[in-house]
């Protein structure tokens, strides 16, 4: 998620440089990570990103780690 897409995340895969290059990720912005926790399905990550951006912290890359994809 970024300020350009605060409600719809883009999937970044570690083995796919194109996914990063074609995303809104900006290496000049700070990057924040959230990990949804053990045995969770990651369905709260969109809520976390929305809350984060609503607090005015909008000039960041917000990456939600999901190991289930």
């Amino acid at each position: 998620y970024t300020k350009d897409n605060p409600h719809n995340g883009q999937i970044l895969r570690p083995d796919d440089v194109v996914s990063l290059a074609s995303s809104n990720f900006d290496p000049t912005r700070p990057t924040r990570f959230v990990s949804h926790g053990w045995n969770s399905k990651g369905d709260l990550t969109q809520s976390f990103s929305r809350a984060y951006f609503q607090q005015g912290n909008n000039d960041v890359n917000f990456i939600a780690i999901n190991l289930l994809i």
Side-chain angles (χ1 to χ4, degrees):
Y1 303 91
T2 69
K3 66 181 181 180
D4 300 319
N5 60 309
H7 305 296
N8 299 309
Q10 298 170 309
I11 295 176
L12 306 176
R13 298 190 186 278
D15 59 344
D16 183 2
V17 178
V18 174
S19 71
L20 183 62
S22 63
S23 74
N24 291 327
F25 180 85
D26 182 347
T28 65
R29 294 180 184 152
T31 301
R32 304 293 183 250
F33 293 88
V34 63
S35 179
H36 55 76
W38 178 256
N39 211 15
S40 173
K41 294 180 181 166
D43 51 356
L44 294 177
T45 56
Q46 189 176 52
S47 298
F48 288 143
S49 68
R50 284 183 180 165
Y52 193 83
F53 285 110
Q54 286 175 351
Q55 295 301 313
N57 304 313
N58 61 359
D59 199 19
V60 300
N61 302 301
F62 188 89
I63 296 178
I65 302 167
N66 187 352
L67 301 177
L68 301 175
I69 294 178

